[in-house]
Amino acid sequence: METIPLIARLNQHRAWTNRNLRAAVALLNDEQLHTSLPIGQGSVWKSLTHMYAAEYVWLGALHGEEEPLVQGDVRGKLPGNQLGEGKIADFVELRQKWEELELRWSEYVNGLQPSELEDTVFKVVSTAGAGVRFGTRRADILLHVCLHAHYTTAQTVNMLRQLGVEKLPESMLISLARHELAT
């Protein structure tokens, strides 16, 4: 398989898994959504907003924004990476914004050219080592976004299991492939 179709497939899987995860989380009450758990980002809500923010920021970087910020992120203005005015208020708003972001990702991946994969994309680091500007190959960023989403999804599925959710969301690429063949 050529590189662009492989990247497109991984992003299709990421988007499908994100939809499945959001559908499962939609059944949680607010207490479950914010329950502290000793895994991942510390709660389902924090894990979901972390995933959304990572996908948002990396797409911004791929579009040439070296210091992209997600709504409500006021890093550098308040101590401790706090979220300020305009932060995402609830799951309904997060789901809507994430669906919009998925459309932007789809447009980006569909317009991707093989010659762009080796380009260096610059981004100012917003986590450990904050403020440092790094260059990364576009192809590596595209793979990272998919792998990061899969890793964080696995943590979130384990949180759902700890919260007693019985019907866990499907997240395996092979499951997507089987669903496609069955329809």
Side-chain angles (χ1 to χ4, degrees), residues 74-93:
V74 290
R75 253 173 292 165
K77 297 179 185 170
L78 293 174
N81 291 345
Q82 297 177 29
L83 291 178
E85 293 291 322
K87 70 179 179 176
I88 297 171
D90 57 27
F91 180 72
V92 172
E93 183 182 1

Side-chain angles (χ1 to χ4, degrees), residues 16 19 28 33 41 61 67-68 73 81 84 86 90 104 116 140 147 150 155 157 159-160 162-163 178 183:
W16 176 80
R19 284 190 302 274
L28 298 179
L33 189 61
Q41 300 299 312
E67 295 188 64
D73 190 341
N81 291 345
D90 57 27
R104 291 179 48 222
E116 297 173 301
D140 289 327
L147 293 170
H150 200 69
Q155 292 176 328
V157 167
M159 289 181 197
L160 294 174
Q162 290 177 33
L163 291 170
R178 291 173 181 156
T183 56

Side-chain angles (χ1 to χ4, degrees), residues 64-141:
E65 297 173 49
E66 288 194 22
E67 295 188 64
L69 294 176
V70 73
Q71 175 186 13
D73 190 341
V74 290
R75 253 173 292 165
K77 297 179 185 170
L78 293 174
N81 291 345
Q82 297 177 29
L83 291 178
E85 293 291 322
K87 70 179 179 176
I88 297 171
D90 57 27
F91 180 72
V92 172
E93 183 182 1
L94 176 63
R95 180 175 45 207
Q96 181 242 335
K97 289 187 173 302
W98 212 339
E99 289 168 358
E100 292 169 5
L101 181 60
E102 290 294 356
L103 293 174
R104 291 179 48 222
W105 266 102
S106 181
E107 289 172 7
Y108 179 82
V109 171
N110 288 337
L112 198 57
Q113 299 299 313
S115 60
E116 297 173 301
L117 294 175
E118 295 301 317
D119 291 349
T120 300
V121 173
F122 291 94
K123 180 180 173 302
V124 175
V125 176
S126 57
T127 55
V132 177
R133 181 179 183 254
F134 281 102
T136 309
R137 280 185 335 129
R138 186 176 310 274
D140 289 327
I141 292 170

Side-chain angles (χ1 to χ4, degrees), residues 10-83:
L10 290 171
N11 275 279
Q12 178 190 18
H13 172 250
R14 179 188 51 74
W16 176 80
T17 300
N18 285 348
R19 284 190 302 274
N20 290 345
L21 187 58
R22 288 191 304 264
V25 169
L27 303 174
L28 298 179
N29 62 40
D30 203 50
E31 181 182 337
Q32 291 171 310
L33 189 61
H34 294 280
T35 295
S36 253
L37 295 163
I39 186 172
Q41 300 299 312
S43 74
V44 171
W45 174 252
K46 288 178 182 178
S47 294
L48 293 177
T49 57
H50 173 76
M51 288 173 65
Y52 168 78
E55 292 176 17
Y56 184 96
V57 166
W58 280 115
L59 184 59
L62 290 167
H63 279 298
E65 297 173 49
E66 288 194 22
E67 295 188 64
L69 294 176
V70 73
Q71 175 186 13
D73 190 341
V74 290
R75 253 173 292 165
K77 297 179 185 170
L78 293 174
N81 291 345
Q82 297 177 29
L83 291 178

